[in-house]
Structures are given as structure tokens and as C-alpha cells.
Amino acid sequence: MGDKDKLINDESIEEGSTTSITKKVAKVVVKSQLPWYFGTGSLLFWGLLFFSIVIPLFYRLPTPLTINDSNKGVFIAERAYNTLSGLASIGTKVVGSQGNEVDTVQYLLNQLAIIKEEILDDLFDLEIDIQRPTGSYIWSLMTNHYHNIQNIVVKLSPKNSTSETYLLVNSHFDSKPTSPSVGDAGHMIVSVLEVLRVIGSSRQTFTHPIVFLLNGAEENPLQGSHGFITQHKWAPFCKAVINLDAAGSGGREILFQSGPDSSWLTEYYKKNAKHPFGTSMAEELFQTGLLPSDTDFGIFNTYGGLSGFDIAQVINGYVYHTLNDRLDVIPIGALQNTGDNLLGLVRALSNATELFDPEAYETGHAIFFDVLGLYLVTYSATNAVYFNYAVAGATILLVFLSLWRIAVKSNITLETALLWGIVVLVIQVIGFVLGVALPIVVAYVMDKYGLSLSYFSHPILLIGLYVCPSLLGLSLPSYIYFKLQRNPKISYPSQIQLALHGYAVVLAVLAIALNYYGLRTTYVFTWTLIFYVIPLALNLLLTLQDRGYAWTALLKIAQVFPFLYNSYLFYTFITALTPMMGRYGASTNPDLIVSALTALGALLSLGFLILLVNIYRRPSLVFLVLLAISGVTIYAATSTQVGFPYRAKTNVQRVPYLQVRRTFYEYDGTVSKDESGYLFNFQDRRKQVPFEDYVNLTGIVSLEDDCDKYMFCGVPLFDSRWVKAKAEAMWLPREDPINPPSIPTLELLNKTVLADSTSLYLEFNLTGPDHMSIFLQPYEDVTISNWTFAHTMLENSTTYPTPYHVYHSYGINDGPLNFFLQLEKPDGDFDVPLLQVGISGHFIGNEGDKQAIEFADSFPPFSALVEWPASYHRYIY
């Protein structure tokens, strides 16, 4: 035999030997794996755990107390519910309306009179003040001006108290148009009243006077809190605030903002809230500005420097700001939950020594989160930084020790084990990226075909739409790797462990990055890692990782805890955010947010567990189950009524529009445009598509051209949300003219050139309905140097360029708005067009004419209309 033939023969023998070894390894792997039905059974187990523990605890409410328990000095939900019933019967409570300014104010004063009869006047003093402030400030993109709105302010003080430190408790009684405001925020108002009654009629005294602010203009937006904190005689003494609001109706209320810079507050919440529910992750998410909501808490902090708690209802946000925010959707246990927590917090904070000098206790932010509603964990953000780094470092160190142990056991060098570890780490990085990306791709494609929000009425669809693709994306790279790569030197159980180590390192690196960036949300990654580090350390100490799959037992037991918490946490966000996506606006695909959040929840809840499916025989069955669930769900969401987002009464589509008459006057007084139509401000991604088969929308057009041509599109944009969404606004012309109930009157009282000859003083009187806007656009060589309103816009022209929007509303007094403008023009020529002035009037609560009513009646039952007549007049001065 020649050398060449021998060499070929030797290579053939070597290849045959390698193939033989690979086959033997594969047989050993299959033989060592657990039966296939444990794999699919594990999915069922974790699903059952979620629905049997997480869901019941999430919706758990305390037993409501009745009036028979009144002598116990506790919150009585039955009494609060009866008060709420009376408040609900008033109906809508829009600022400036009879319902808000007369009926509700009188009803609350009557309730306070009853409470005052029960106050122990030998221990306490009760003062009631009706405040009617006037003022202005910047809110979002507009100057927010208010006149004679109404607040009811109550102070409960210990007898002969000399304390100059007050606790403020705030909620609001006004509403959005069409809403009876039972949840937002009647629920909170009656809770405040009952807490006032309980504290004032109990012999348990306190140190700091308590100011209860029943705020009459929060929805307007946030005018009542601004009027109080900047003008009321008791405001300078308030040092902390408990702000109560709602983005839902019924269920538990969540603590979603605390502080700022006052970590001692969360300790008080931990000790005194009987039913804890909150997370600093919600705080960071809210403060990004991504959510379409705001609260009085920011006003109290910005204008009063107050720290405290921002607490809100978030469950069943589908009825929020709609006519379905009714009494019958609020379980009485929800009132007991709120009342127990509020009573405990008010009693504790009204005795807090920290309130004497809150600045002395400003030690930074806090990390806080409740564990299934049973217990609150809280620690300072400073400690969290070290803790996060320590856990991430411990993870990487223990993974290294485990690799060293695998190297020793497998009789390979540490360098070889590290090399295999790096390869598997790359696989896990790919898996993590796919785990996040695949749900986002599903969301993107669904939106491309006009099928966004398909989960809106059935959030359970999120499992098939996003959870299953996320788990598939994470686990498939590992499965493919194990199928293609058989390492004869490292046992199969150790290879599975390498995959989990790789995933742990991915989470550790993310935790380090997020921690470095300063995100307190890092705690979610940290606590997830803790329950991997603990079993890993024990497995190393007990040498269980050397004994086949023995190490998986401790891991599975430990994973119960992060699974329960992370699934609970992200279910909280999905429950709160899903209804918000129906009012997130038309310009953004909300499914991208929901898919990313759902994917992150799936990866943190089930990331380690889904990688364990490779210990079972035929793990492909698990992937087929996940794929089948996704396939069936996508079919249901795209091809059946299950995926249609909206349902009458429970999951409505919000449809805001105005019945508009717009008239443009030129400089010489002639009319250049006079037309009528319906102005739509769509709040959801699907816009008019869901109801276009019901409503005659012939001729509807985008307002983009008008927005390019006219100041603020030449229409009566209601507030900043309308202004921000103007590019998505639609105009449906109407042939018959719309005649609003009246026309706002703008009267020029004074036009005077000032002494410097380059300044012009203009004084106006504006008379009209309780909600109006002034739009101002100076011509190119003209600037507004001074005016009646807050000067912020004028002083920050880069941040607030022209045109300007002044939003004006009044409460109890319908007198004219007198305001001035001071114009600057370098050449001093004021006999030419200087300024465009747009005046809009909004007649909220008016149904409009017969044709408008018939148009509204043509909408389907799942449409929640928010509409009224509005006028717009453009003048040139």
C-alpha cells in the first residue's frame, strides 16, 4: 500500500471513528433526557401557576366594612359608597358647568357639614374654605389660563396646634366631557371625605394639621392644584402631599410616584399601607412622558417643592374619561382598599417627625416594589447601585467557577471550557435579541395590515401574539445549536448548564449597563439574577452540578419566585397600559410598546425555564406547541371578530370631534372663508376605519394642507393634545352651516403707540363660553414682548416659538377676559397688518343642531363620542 493510500485509509478510519463517537454521544444524550411529556407539561404547570396565584392576588380586594363597624375608628366602605352614589347622580362635572360649579360644590359642602357635626371639637378644629383662584402657567405647548375656578379646602388641626407644617391630601371632583367621573376621581374624593370623618371623630390625635384639597379643576388641565399651591393661604405650610387620581375605575390603587429625593416616604408606605401595590419601575416609565396622562403631583412638586405620593386607580382603564365610568363598575371592596391605605398613610404622615424639616431628609430616590400585593420591599437608590453591581458581579464570578468545575469534571482545560462558554454566550445574545425582536416584528406586520390593537378587547391574545414568539426567539438558537453540535468531552447536562450560564451573563451585563445609566428599574434584572445565583451557589457547594440533571431541581424551585414576581409585575403594566393604547394617538403604533414590554416580561419570567426544555426528549414538541398557539392566535386576531378591538360599553373606541364653524376675516374686515364641518381628533391607531361602514364620511380629508397654510391649521384645536395631533386631524365638510349657540366676542378697547415709538399696546375684552382659546401669530417683523398671561413663552422663544396658544377657562364667574398684548416693531409702522388672532369658543355639553345629532346617532354602539359645537374666528390687526 502506498503512502497516499495509507493516508486516505487512516483519514477514513478517523472520520468513521468521529462519526461513531458522535452517534454514541447522541444516543447517550437521548437516553439521559427526561420523557417528552415533561416538557409540554412544564408549560402547563407554569401557566397554571400564573392563573391560580398571580391573577387571584392581583385582583384581590379586602372585605368591605359596613356602617355597623363605625365605632371602631376604621374606614367604612359602605358609607363611602353611599356618598359616591350621590356624587355619581350629578352626572358630568366639566369646569364652568352647572354640574361642577354649583351642584357638585354644594353636594360636597353638604357632606362636609355632616362630617363637621361628628368632629370631636374638644380635640380638633375644622376649617372649610372655598377658593376661587385666577392665574396662568405653561402646560405642555400652551399657556393655561384660568379664572375663578373653585377648590374646596378643608383643614383639620389638633386643638390649639401651633405647628406650621401641614400634610396635603389632594384629589379632584371635576370631569371630562361625557364622563360621570365616578372612578376619575369620585372614588378618591369620597375616600378623602371618609378619612376626614374617621380621623376627626376618633380620639387618636396627630401632630401636623392636615389640609384636604377637593380640587375643582384637574381635568382642565391641572388648574386647581396650580391655583392652590401658588395662591392659597395654607399652601406655604404644606410640606408633603398625598395625591389621589385615576386612570381606571375599580380595583387596587397603585403607588407610581414617590418622593422625589425622599426615600423615607416609601418606608412610611411600607409600614402603613395595609394593601401595598406599587413599583418604582412605574415611576420611571411615567416620568419618560410616554404615557398619555399627567397628574397634580407634578404641579405640587414644581410650584411648591412638595414631596409625597402619587397614587392612582389603573385597573379597567377602558372606561376612563368615558360615559361608562359609572358606579356599577366599582366594586365596594376597591373603596375599602383605597380607604385602608389612605387612612394609614394620613395618620402616619401627620405624625411624621420628618415633616418638620423634609429637606434634611432628602437622601435620594428609593427603589420600591410590592410582592404580589402581600409585602413592600424598599431600599435607597444609592444602596441599589451597589447591590445591582454586586449581584451582577456575583453572577459572572459563579458562572466562571461553574465553568472551572465543568472543565475539571470533563477533563478539559479551563481555556477550552471558557471557549465553549463564549460560543454559548453568543448563542444566548442572539436568542435574547430574537426574543425581543420577534414580538416587535409581529406588532409591526400587524400594524402594516391595519390590524393594530387586536388584543384590545382580549388581552389574553398577547400570549400568542407576543409571549410565544418571544420564548421561541430565545430558545430556538440553543435548540438548533444542541442539535448541530455534539461535544463529546462535555456532558449534555453540562452543556445545558452552559446555555443557562450564558443567559445569566446576558442579564448581568444588561443590569450593569442599566445601573450605570442610572435606571432604578435595574432592580428587576437584579432580583431575577438573585434567584439564579442562589441555586447556582448551592449546586456548586453540594456538587449537584456534577450529577447529571440533579442541579435542575434547585433551579426550578428557585425560579418559582422570579416567575411569580415578574409575571405579576408585567401583568400589572399590561393591565394598565392596554387601555391607554386606545388613546395613545394615531401617529404611533402602540403595539410596538406593548410587544416590547410583553417580550421583556416573558424573557424575565420564563427565560431560564424555557431553556430547560432541552433536558427533555423531543424538545421540538414544546416549540411546536408555542408555534401552534401563535398561529391560532394570529389567525383569530386577523380573521375573526375576536381581533376586532372594540366592544360597546366595555372596550369602546374614543371618537372626539367638534362641530365647527370657522370664519376668516381679513385686515380690511372682509370674510375670506366661512365653512362648516366636523373636525376629528382620532385618539387610536385605527382612526375612522372601524366605523366608516356605519357613518357617512364622504369627503373627509386630512388637515395637513391647512396646517401648512394657516395658524394652528385654522381650526379650534381644543388643547395641547389636539395641537400635538394636528397632523393626524381629519376634516369632514358639511354643506349646511353650523350655528354654534353663540359667538365669542373680541373687542379692541385700546390701541396705543408707546413712547419709544416701536412698541404698540393693545387691550382686548373677550366674552364667550367657559372654554375658549386665543391663538396668536405675529407677522415676520413683529414680536410680542409682553402680555397679561404667564411670561414663560415670551422669555423662552426658542423652546416656545410662535404661534402661541392661550387656553382660557372660567369656573363660577362668566365675566369677560380682559387682556393686553404689547408688540414690538423696529420700524414703528403700526398701520399695516401686525398680528393674526384666532378665537375659538367651545360649547361643551351642547348637542348641536338636528343634523349634528343625527350624525352622532349614526355611529356604532362601540363608539364613545366626545363632541360639541365650536367656533373659530381669525382676525388680523
Side-chain angles (χ1 to χ4, degrees), residues 293-355:
S293 294
D294 204 352
T295 74
D296 289 321
F297 186 79
I299 296 292
F300 292 128
N301 178 253
T302 301
Y303 294 94
L306 272 61
S307 295
F309 299 124
D310 204 2
I311 298 171
Q313 290 281 323
V314 293
I315 295 173
N316 194 18
Y318 298 105
V319 303
Y320 171 73
H321 285 179
T322 73
L323 50 79
N324 299 316
D325 186 7
R326 305 182 309 268
L327 188 66
D328 59 0
V329 301
I330 295 185
I332 191 169
L335 285 165
Q336 190 67 54
N337 194 92
T338 301
D340 287 345
N341 285 344
L342 181 60
L343 180 59
L345 290 173
V346 172
R347 277 181 165 160
L349 290 178
S350 62
N351 284 296
T353 55
E354 292 89 347
L355 232 58

Side-chain angles (χ1 to χ4, degrees), residues 17 21 29 141 210 274 335 348 350 361 465 552 597 618 765 801:
S17 175
I21 291 172
V29 168
L141 301 177
I210 309 166
K274 289 179 66 175
L335 285 165
S350 62
Y361 295 90
L465 290 174
T552 64
L597 198 61
R618 301 169 67 184
N765 253 1

